[in-house]
Structure formats: structure tokens, C-alpha cells
């Protein structure tokens, strides 16, 4: 028979105004760093923000934002995501800590459904969702489970990365998602990604430089805010906030 | 109203509550889809792996359905024994055989999300973490009897 948990998901996110998944074709292009900094940036602008780490094999938003692993989770007829630097945060990492979590397809779906069914986000202006690269099970699941999901693509300026973005776009254009646009990370100042966006008919949201100070700033919110990455993100966020969404 | 004898149970109640809420909503959804006027009985299976407190779950179901058209509906709850099968060596085992070896915080994690068992439980024969939960994972609706 039907899965009762799926019925409650719309109720759990009904007061979340915009639901944005950070996606990419290739791995390692900066999704996790950008998802975390986008959430941080929105929070600094006074928005109420949630961050959901859905990369089950390699959850790492908590490392970027320096969220302690011994955080306790509050229950109130479901789970209330703990608050860090103004961000409501949820990740399986809060439960598994350092342990390996070898999950396959159906297990991943089950875990995502359970997580979405029991987490009470409350009212949020933005829910940012970090995902694994490519057309992962995690991405496919939230595309089907989260109504009005918007997608934000991250890439680096490389033929290899853009090829995989094309393939991802083929999927995204088939399903029901509003593609916000593409962010060029680790930019080299070329117009390769901008040109690509024009050809694909998607919005070019801006570029982010390679910042060697990032590594040292990881885990330290104040230091992160001082990186040139955060500066570029603020500019990009103004564009994203200004967009009218239709659901 | 809920009558909880121990304060500690208030903490445990909450997750049971979230799942009970999902059952009630799902039944209401099914009623709408199948154009049912009344639902006489809902059979629910509770997988042993998730370690749901059945009494609390039952009370939550009662209180949540009270304010809906499911006021008179009978919720029958049966527990389903959890069973695992190793993908590596094919061994099958039951939750009851290994339950003792699971620590309290680990049980709590599995209670939240049963898939976290993959970070905790190993095949008793070969030690592999690559296993299938054959049955008894969590909460599901088995059947529903209603009138159109
Ligand atoms: N603009 C940047 N400047 C310098 N380093 C960066 C920048 N963006 C990302 N990085 C670094 O690149 C590496 C990969 O970033 P990240 O983990 O965010 O990528 P990802 O797309 O989430 O990877 P995965 O696909 O594995 O989840 C990290 O070490 C990160 O610190
Ligand atoms: Mg990542
Ligand atoms: Zn085995």
C-alpha cells in the first residue's frame, strides 16, 4: 500500500517560500561551499534560512560552517532543525557522526522521505539544499517530493564540467523544476560559461573567483564572510532574491 | 487528551507523533482519491527496527484523528519483526538476535531514520555493512476498509 510519510511532506514545508537545490554535473565544483555561503549570505540579509545537506555519502556543509558534531537535536512532534548563525540546519551527519553510511538506491529514498516527513522547518524564506553531483538518487527524489523545487547549477569553466551540465540540463528540462540559472565557480575570467548559458537558454548568474584563503576560513563563519567568495555571492543573491517565482 | 505517566515519555512521544500525523493525513488523502465516505478500519504495520512506542503511537493516532472525519475509525496496529539479509554472504538474521549489542544513542539514531542502521549494524556472519532490510523497517499502512 501507499507510503503514509509522503502525504505529510507538503505540510512540513508549506511555510517554506522558496526551495532551492544546489546542483552540478560534475563533482567537486563547489556546491557544498556555495550552498553553505548562500545560506549564510541570505541570513546576513535578514532572511530566515534553512540548510539541508542531502549528500548522504559525503555530508560536509557542517564542516564549511563549523557546526559542532555533538549538537543535540530537539524534538517537538518531529525534529526541529538546530539553529546556527541564523541558519536552521539538518543533515544526517547530526545522527551518524563519523561513521560510514553505505546506502543504496532504495535506502536513500527511504531516508530522504523519513527526513522530510519528520523535520519541522517552520516558516522559512529560503530552504537551500545541497545535493551530490549529477543525476543522483538524492536529486531525483527531491525533484519528485518537493513541490516547487528550484534548481541552481554550479559549474567550473571547463569543457569537461560543461558537458556534464548539458546532460543534467536534459533531465532538468524534462521534469517540473524552475531552473534559476548557473553560477561559475573558480572563474578564470573567460566567457566560456556565459556563452554556454546563452546557448542553453539559461540565466548566467555571475562568477566567483578562486580564493586561496577559503581553505583557512573553512569552519569559521566570520572568516568566511570576509572571503572574496562571499562578496561575489552577495551580488548573485541580489539577483536571485529579485526573481519572481511561479509555482 | 494524552495522558503520559512519565516526563521521559514526552520526549519519546514526539517522533511517534510525527508518524501518526502522516498516517492520518495519508488516510484522508486516500479517502479523497477513492471517494470514500467513511473509513471503518486501517491496518498499520510497525516495523520493529524503528522501535516505535506503540502505546504512544496509538494515543497520538487517537488524538490527531479526533478532530477529523476519522473519529470513529478503528486503527489496528501490528508489530512486524525486523529481518535482514546480507548482500555479501547471503546470511539472514533477525533484529532480536542483535538488539542487545546496539547502544542507546545508536538505537535513538535508528529510531529517527531506520536507514541509519547501515551505519551501525553489521552482518553477524561476515561483518559486512551491505545488507537489505527484508522486512520490519518502519511504519506503513497495510490495508484500509471503507465505504463509498
Ligand atoms: N571559489 C573557490 N575558491 C577556492 N576553493 C574552492 C572554491 N570553491 C570550492 N573550493 C574548494 O574546492 C573543493 C570542492 O568544493 P565542494 O566540496 O564545495 O565541491 P562539491 O561540488 O560540493 O563537491 P561534491 O560533488 O564532492 O559534493 C573544496 O576543497 C573547496 O574548499
Ligand atoms: Mg558537496
Ligand atoms: Zn554477511
Amino acid at each position: 500500500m501507499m507510503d503514509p510519510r509522503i502525504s505529510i511532506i507538503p505540510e512540513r514545508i508549506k511555510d517554506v517560500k522558496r526551495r532551492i537545490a544546489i546542483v552540478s554535473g560534475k563533482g567537486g565544483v563547489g556546491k557544498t561551499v556555495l550552498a553553505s555561503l548562500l545560506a549564510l549570505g541570505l541570513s546576513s540579509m535578514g532572511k530566515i534560512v534553512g540548510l539541508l545537506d542531502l549528500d548522504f555519502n559525503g555530508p560536509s556543509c557542517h564542516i564549511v560552517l563549523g557546526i559542532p558534531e555533538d549538537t543535540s537535536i530537539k524534538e517537538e512532534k518531529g525534529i526541529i532543525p538546530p539553529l546556527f548563525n541564523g541558519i536552521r540546519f539538518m543533515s544526517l551527519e547530526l545522527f551518524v557522526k563519523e561513521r560510514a553510511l553505505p546506502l543504496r538506491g532504495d535506502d536513500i529514498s527511504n531516508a530522504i522521505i523519513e527526513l522530510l516527513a519528520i523535520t519541522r522547518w517552520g516558516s522559512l524564506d529560503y530552504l537551500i539544499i545541497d545535493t551530490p553531483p549529477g543525476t543522483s538518487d538524492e536529486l531525483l527524489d527531491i525533484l519528485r517530493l518537493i513541490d516547487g523545487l528550484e534548481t541552481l547549477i554550479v559549474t567550473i569553466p571547463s569543457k569537461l564540467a560543461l558537458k556534464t551540465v548539458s546532460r543534467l540540463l536534459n533531465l532538468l528540462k524534462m521534469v517540473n523544476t524552475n531552473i534559476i540559472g548557473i553560477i561559475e565557480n573558480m572563474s578564470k575570467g573567460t566567457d566560456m560559461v556565459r556563452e554556454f548559458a546563452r546557448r542553453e537558454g539559461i540565466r548566467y548568474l555571475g562568477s566567483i573567483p578562486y580564493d586561496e584563503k577559503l581553505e583557512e576560513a573553512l569552519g569559521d563563519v566570520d572568516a568566511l564572510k570576509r572571503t572574496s567568495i562571499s562578496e561575489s555571492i552577495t551580488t548573485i543573491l541580489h539577483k536571485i532574491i529579485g526573481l519572481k517565482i511561479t509555482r | 487528551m494524552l495522558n503520559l505517566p512519565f516526563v521521559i515519555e514526552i520526549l519519546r512521544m514526539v517522533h511517534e507523533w510525527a508518524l501518526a500525523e502522516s498516517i492520518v493525513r495519508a488516510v484522508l488523502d486516500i479517502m479523497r482519491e477513492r471517494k470514500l465516505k467513511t473509513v471503518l478500519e486501517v491496518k498499520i504495520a510497525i516495523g520493529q527496527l524503528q522501535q516505535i512506542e506503540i502505546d504512544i503511537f496509538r494515543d497520538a493516532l487517537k488524538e490527531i484523528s479526533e478532530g477529523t472525519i476519522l473519529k470513529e475509525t478503528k486503527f489496528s496496529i501490528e508489530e512486524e519483526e525486523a529481518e535482514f539479509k546480507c548482500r555479501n554472504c547471503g546470511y539472514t538474521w533477525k533484529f532480536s538476535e542483535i538488539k542487545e549489542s546496539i547502544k542507546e544513542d545508536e538505537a535513538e539514531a535508528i529510531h529517527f531514520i531506520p536507514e541509519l542502521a547501515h551505519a551501525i549494524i553489521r552482518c553477524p556472519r561476515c561483518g559486512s555493512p551491505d545488507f537489505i532490510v527484508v522486512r520490519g523497517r518502519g511504519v506503513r499502512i497495510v490495508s484500509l476498509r471503507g465505504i463509498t
Side-chain angles (χ1 to χ4, degrees), chain A residues 1-2 4, chain B residues 23 26-27 30 42-44 139-144:
Chain A
M1 260 211 80
M2 73 169 294
Chain B
I23 295 273
V27 173
I30 295 171
V42 182
K43 282 210 171 102
I44 302 163
V139 177
R140 69 194 168 88
I141 297 176
V142 181
S143 67
L144 183 149

Side-chain angles (χ1 to χ4, degrees), chain B residues 85-91 93 122-128 130:
Chain B
K85 183 175 168 59
C86 179
R87 275 197 167 101
N88 182 45
C89 75
Y91 185 72
W93 70 97
R122 298 276 170 274
C123 168
R125 188 159 85 186
C126 77
S128 170
D130 192 8

Side-chain angles (χ1 to χ4, degrees), chain A residues 6 18 24 28 35-36 39 49 51 64 74 77-78 83 116 128 142 160 186 228:
Chain A
I6 290 181
R18 293 182 68 178
S24 76
S36 307
V49 191
L51 177 62
V64 179
K74 204 171 142 231
K77 296 178 177 178
L83 194 63
L116 294 176
I128 304 293
I142 52 172
L160 286 180
M186 308 193 214
S228 56

